[in-house]
Amino acid sequence: MGLTSNNLVIAAVVAALLLFAATIWLWPRLSGRGVAPVLGRVGMLLGTQLTVFAAFGLFANQSFGFYGSWSDLFGTQDEPGVVVDHDTPGTRVKVTETRHLAGDGGSSPRVAGRVEKVNIQGPVSGIASPAYIYLPPEYFRPEYARRTFPAALVLTGYPGTTEALINGLKYPQNSYKLVKAGRMQPLVLVMMRPTVASPRDTECVDVPDGPRTETFFTKDVPKAVADHYRVGQRARNWGVIGNSTGGYCALKMAMRHPDAFSAAAGLSPSYKAPIDATTGDLFGGNKRLERENDLMWRLSRKPAPPVSLLVSSSEHGEENYRDTVRFVNKVKRLNRRGEPTRISSIILGTGGHNFNTWKREVPAALEWLGGRLGDR
């Protein structure tokens, strides 16, 4: 069973309940003072506690997406060892696994779509990274055979796992339901971690003498995906959405590269890159580069880009609330002056910096994003 599967969580809960009941039932028989009764009591108590902790841990992991698989938990993922050929554009995306999703009427790709695990090679940035590509059911239907689809880059937070976008925030499942309900056009979703130089948090910055993360996401990824799939190559065909660090990345990349993305949604984003033990020196002491990655500074000092932005926060429980209100007000002032940047927001009454909050925001954010992208 997978680390995030419901069956595993249920099995852990059942095991904890059975061991607790067995401890209560057998306790009178283990009440003696000999070595065997003492060891029996210790064993029963230890077993019960371990299963209870396991049940709570598995449930918390499933809810918040700390680890997406057993190999991720134990640090045995072998993705960096996958060989990706560099010689022709056609090999910049290499499919390594496919998953069928369940939908109304079966699990055929024409019914529910398909998720493909791929490795993306970035010839400009020199970065290679895994991703999951969600292809909607329409992608496989004959009547859409000549259609070019819009696409959205979907980013996790830091450290985050790409699997959490599927199993936790359920982006493919939400997209399927929205399209089926007629609330959104079908999108190709490119689901990735912003952490392409693990364990370093690069905040989607082209780090001087370091990983060129921003170049990878704004140039290499859209080009590679469009070369491999029936996806548009223009900015109006592409959007980007993310939570936490991924939300900051989404807003920043659209604002700095309107030639790559025409719309961006940041769920609980920050508005500037932190400098801490996980990031190191992102800007190499270059204050100009640091300012240009500060979104508040950009709104005040740089020309307003022709992009649509969505931000989210909560009045109570979210630390970025005041900054979010400030960001929205800055863009609104630009609107009143006739500048082309557009702003929307999702403000909850209560929430937090966690998956439970983002689950409430993802459907609305996806619908918003889908309504701002073109397929041609």
Side-chain angles (χ1 to χ4, degrees):
M1 290 183 283
L3 181 62
T4 60
S5 71
N6 289 329
N7 290 339
L8 182 61
V9 176
I10 293 171
V13 171
V14 170
L17 291 174
L18 289 176
L19 271 174
F20 177 77
T23 299
I24 298 298
W25 180 260
L26 296 174
W27 197 261
R29 302 183 186 183
L30 300 173
S31 60
R33 296 186 178 180
V35 174
V38 171
L39 291 177
R41 293 196 298 270
V42 170
M44 295 298 291
L45 289 173
L46 183 60
T48 301
Q49 290 179 346
L50 287 176
T51 53
V52 168
F53 284 134
F56 275 107
L58 289 167
F59 177 76
N61 183 70
Q62 187 187 60
S63 299
F64 298 106
F66 300 120
Y67 300 97
S69 64
W70 292 108
S71 59
D72 186 32
L73 174 64
F74 294 111
T76 59
Q77 286 189 356
D78 58 355
E79 286 155 342
V82 176
V83 175
V84 180
D85 296 326
H86 303 173
D87 53 351
T88 63
T91 60
R92 290 177 186 163
V93 172
K94 182 175 181 180
V95 180
T96 60
E97 178 186 330
T98 60
R99 298 183 185 181
H100 296 290
L101 300 175
D104 298 335
S107 59
S108 164
R110 292 186 182 183
V111 174
R114 185 168 72 199
V115 173
E116 296 185 349
K117 186 176 183 180
V118 304
N119 281 281
I120 297 178
Q121 171 67 34
V124 180
S125 65
I127 292 172
S129 183
Y132 285 97
I133 311 290
Y134 167 67
L135 303 172
E138 292 78 10
Y139 190 91
F140 302 96
R141 295 175 184 170
E143 60 268 33
Y144 290 87
R146 297 183 179 275
R147 178 169 176 176
T148 298
F149 288 81
L153 174 62
V154 185
L155 297 174
T156 67
Y158 174 84
T161 65
T162 315
E163 290 85 355
L165 297 171
I166 302 172
N167 301 324
L169 296 180
K170 300 185 182 299
Y171 272 94
Q173 299 88 331
N174 277 301
S175 180
Y176 170 80
K177 291 176 182 177
L178 288 167
V179 173
K180 189 173 179 61
R183 294 167 53 189
M184 189 182 80
Q185 64 176 322
L187 298 179
V188 171
L189 304 180
V190 183
M191 296 171 283
M192 305 185 73
R193 301 172 68 193
T195 312
V196 296
S198 183
R200 188 178 188 183
D201 175 13
T202 63
E203 295 286 319
C204 299
V205 170
D206 276 0
V207 181
D209 299 320
R212 300 178 65 193
T213 311
E214 188 171 21
T215 295
F216 177 66
F217 284 124
T218 58
K219 298 186 182 301
D220 287 331
V221 170
K223 179 67 165 60
V225 172
D227 283 345
H228 192 84
Y229 298 99
R230 297 197 314 276
V231 167
Q233 300 189 42
R234 301 180 181 180
R236 65 171 175 263
N237 309 131
W238 278 84
V240 54
I241 181 173
N243 58 274
S244 190
T245 297
Y248 163 71
C249 288
L251 299 174
K252 181 187 72 170
M253 291 191 296
M255 293 174 68
R256 284 172 55 87
H257 299 275
D259 57 331
F261 303 107
S262 60
L267 307 183
S268 301
S270 55
Y271 297 94
K272 64 183 295 186
I275 301 296
D276 56 29
T278 66
T279 63
D281 184 0
L282 292 175
F283 308 107
N286 187 326
K287 293 299 181 182
R288 179 188 60 80
L289 183 59
E290 184 174 354
R291 287 194 300 270
E292 290 185 353
N293 281 270
D294 183 327
L295 305 191
M296 298 291 187
W297 184 89
R298 294 193 69 84
L299 289 177
S300 300
R301 304 295 180 87
K302 289 288 187 178
V307 295
S308 296
L309 306 175
L310 170 70
V311 292
S312 82
S313 189
S314 304
E315 292 182 10
H316 301 284
E318 183 65 81
E319 293 183 358
N320 79 333
Y321 174 67
R322 290 186 178 180
D323 283 342
T324 296
V325 172
R326 181 181 166 213
F327 185 84
V328 170
N329 288 335
K330 276 180 171 287
V331 180
K332 288 167 67 175
R333 286 194 290 272
L334 293 175
N335 293 163
R336 288 194 289 269
R337 298 206 303 259
E339 300 291 350
T341 304
R342 295 293 177 262
I343 189 69
S344 302
S345 64
I346 300 173
I347 304 296
L348 302 177
T350 59
H353 202 79
N354 56 56
F355 270 54
N356 288 334
T357 298
W358 300 325
K359 285 177 184 177
R360 298 160 60 193
E361 298 169 343
V362 165
L366 260 181
E367 184 177 355
W368 175 90
L369 189 64
R372 281 154 180 79
L373 302 180
D375 59 358
R376 297 186 184 278

